[in-house]
Amino acid sequence: MAETREPKKVLEVKNLTITIPMDEGLLTPVRGVTFSISEGEVLGLVGESGCGKSLTSKAVLGINEKKCKTQGEILFTKEDQILDLLKLKYGSEEIRNIRGKNASMIFQEPMIAFHPMYTVGSQINECTLLHITKDKKKAKELSLDMMKRVGIANAERRYNQYPHEFSGGMLQRALIAMALVCRPSLLIADEPTTALDVTIQAQILELMKQLQEEFRMAILFITHDLGIVAQMCGRVSVMYLGQIVEEAPVREIYKNPRHPYTQGLIASVHRVGTHSQEKLYSIEGTVPLALNIPARCGFYERCGKHIEGLCDCREPPVKDMEKGHRVCCFLYGEEAKRG
């Protein structure tokens, strides 16, 4: 019997920390983030706005602003070589050769991602000319082929149109074509369906699933929508105040959430079949500013289960639960049991 090969890790992030010096003190929007993604896997990164999801994803591609001081390790597998992307010089040719070709990104707003003064086709073509071939005819063929694959009707005519001539859903498809035209091994999707209506959103998600299965990509899917997570992801990392507070397979997260923040997120989702006038649960308060953060649990002020003298005194450790399930909370540590 043939031995089953373990999927190789495409991306491994270890203890990623991002700090931004400010007049008021030190802003730390990302604190000790650790996760990995293997080929053919979709990892969901979820959390409220302002918890550090986008900064984490941009750090992988090295496109955060220079004022962001980044520490840790971002290990990326390029063919059979493992590179620490943080050790590559900011804006260097080496990182630019990886960005777009081996690792690509779908941004939140396609109308902002495309330059309004150039045709959509020429902007997709820029990736093929830079990373695949210098033959303009061949590059155009590759771009048109990907535009057709993502469901853009009459691609030859659309190729010469400008972004303002596309609808929101069609422009999102063009953005996906630009991200995938070089067949990257890693795709980062930063809330790619936020600005779309529900019908178009469903079409885009189904398209992404089909292309992910075809190309065996690793996908980091960033969203605040838990419904999309259930549809798209195999594993989920829940992020709060710059930290991953819980990680588990998607079914386990929905069935048995451990962290109070994750429990609150799950409880706030409307369930089909419940009474329409039922009041949804909401987590009290807002995500605090990550400025001069004290040594305590980041969720302490909003948590109804916090332990005085423990949660407010130091940061909770990471606790391994069932296989593949880990949580950053004092409720499951030895200190809570002794208390």
Side-chain angles (χ1 to χ4, degrees):
M1 184 175 180
E3 186 177 341
T4 304
R5 183 179 67 89
E6 282 288 324
K8 70 177 181 181
K9 287 184 180 179
V10 175
L11 177 69
E12 189 170 9
V13 176
K14 296 181 178 180
N15 199 30
L16 179 68
T17 299
I18 299 175
T19 55
I20 305 173
M22 303 186 71
D23 294 337
E24 300 85 352
L26 190 65
L27 191 69
T28 314
V30 177
R31 303 182 291 146
V33 166
T34 297
F35 62 86
S36 65
I37 317 174
S38 300
E39 60 181 356
E41 181 182 26
V42 183
L43 174 68
L45 188 60
V46 304
E48 293 171 275
S49 297
C51 68
K53 304 188 300 296
S54 293
L55 279 175
T56 298
S57 65
K58 290 178 181 178
V60 173
L61 296 182
I63 56 175
N64 278 326
E65 296 182 38
K66 277 192 172 182
K67 66 181 179 180
C68 297
K69 308 299 179 184
T70 308
Q71 295 177 308
E73 291 181 287
I74 300 177
L75 305 177
F76 178 75
T77 303
K78 182 183 178 183
E79 297 170 353
D80 292 324
Q81 185 181 13
I82 298 177
L83 302 173
D84 187 346
L85 301 185
L86 288 185
K87 291 183 178 178
L88 303 183
K89 187 177 179 182
Y90 185 91
S92 66
E93 184 177 352
E94 193 170 9
I95 187 68
R96 284 188 281 112
N97 285 338
I98 293 172
R99 191 165 54 218
K101 180 181 180 181
N102 303 106
S104 194
M105 188 168 185
I106 302 173
F107 295 92
Q108 293 186 34
E109 291 289 346
M111 194 59 77
I112 297 174
F114 280 99
H115 196 293
M117 300 299 291
Y118 297 93
T119 63
V120 169
S122 68
Q123 294 182 66
I124 297 174
N125 217 30
E126 188 176 352
C127 298
T128 55
L129 287 169
L130 182 63
H131 295 298
I132 300 179
T133 178
K134 299 299 181 184
D135 186 326
K136 292 184 178 180
K137 183 179 179 181
K138 179 64 175 177
K140 183 177 180 179
E141 289 176 1
L142 292 171
S143 299
L144 284 170
D145 177 65
M146 187 54 69
M147 289 176 72
K148 293 173 183 176
R149 278 175 176 264
V150 300
I152 296 177
N154 200 351
E156 289 81 1
R157 180 172 64 87
R158 289 290 193 177
Y159 182 91
N160 295 309
Q161 290 184 330
Y162 291 86
H164 71 270
E165 298 179 87
F166 280 60
S167 66
M170 198 59 67
L171 198 59
Q172 189 70 59
R173 290 175 183 268
L175 189 57
I176 293 173
M178 185 162 65
L180 297 185
V181 70
C182 294
R183 308 287 181 91
S185 57
L186 172 67
L187 176 67
I188 299 172
D190 188 2
E191 306 207 27
T193 59
T194 298
L196 305 177
D197 62 59
V198 176
T199 304
I200 302 300
Q201 182 184 90
Q203 294 174 4
I204 295 297
L205 291 176
E206 184 60 32
L207 169 65
M208 289 184 65
K209 286 174 67 177
Q210 292 172 2
L211 294 172
Q212 186 262 342
E213 291 172 3
E214 180 181 349
F215 299 152
R216 292 291 295 166
M217 292 180 296
I219 298 182
L220 176 60
F221 200 99
I222 300 168
T223 183
H224 60 270
D225 189 330
L226 288 171
I228 291 178
V229 168
Q231 182 179 348
M232 288 293 297
C233 305
R235 281 191 303 127
V236 185
S237 290
V238 180
M239 199 167 184
Y240 183 81
L241 195 60
Q243 292 182 312
I244 290 180
V245 297
E246 186 167 6
E247 182 178 294
V250 65
R251 289 182 180 274
E252 181 68 14
I253 279 284
Y254 279 87
K255 181 181 177 181
N256 190 24
R258 295 301 189 99
H259 197 281
Y261 178 62
T262 311
Q263 293 170 355
L265 290 178
I266 299 295
S268 65
V269 177
H270 179 73
R271 288 170 172 76
V272 176
T274 57
H275 198 278
S276 60
Q277 294 183 351
E278 179 184 350
K279 186 176 181 180
L280 288 177
Y281 175 83
S282 64
I283 303 172
E284 296 294 330
T286 57
V287 181
L289 184 66
L291 185 67
N292 301 326
I293 302 174
R296 67 181 185 188
C297 174
F299 193 57
Y300 168 75
E301 293 181 340
R302 304 175 70 189
C303 181
K305 299 180 180 179
H306 65 252
I307 304 169
E308 295 291 346
L310 190 59
C311 299
D312 56 337
C313 295
R314 54 193 175 94
E315 293 185 1
V318 177
K319 175 71 174 176
D320 289 321
M321 310 299 286
E322 298 81 4
K323 185 179 179 181
H325 195 160
R326 60 192 181 102
V327 62
C328 187
C329 184
F330 279 120
L331 290 175
Y332 307 100
E334 295 299 322
E335 298 94 335
K337 293 177 182 176
R338 287 196 298 266

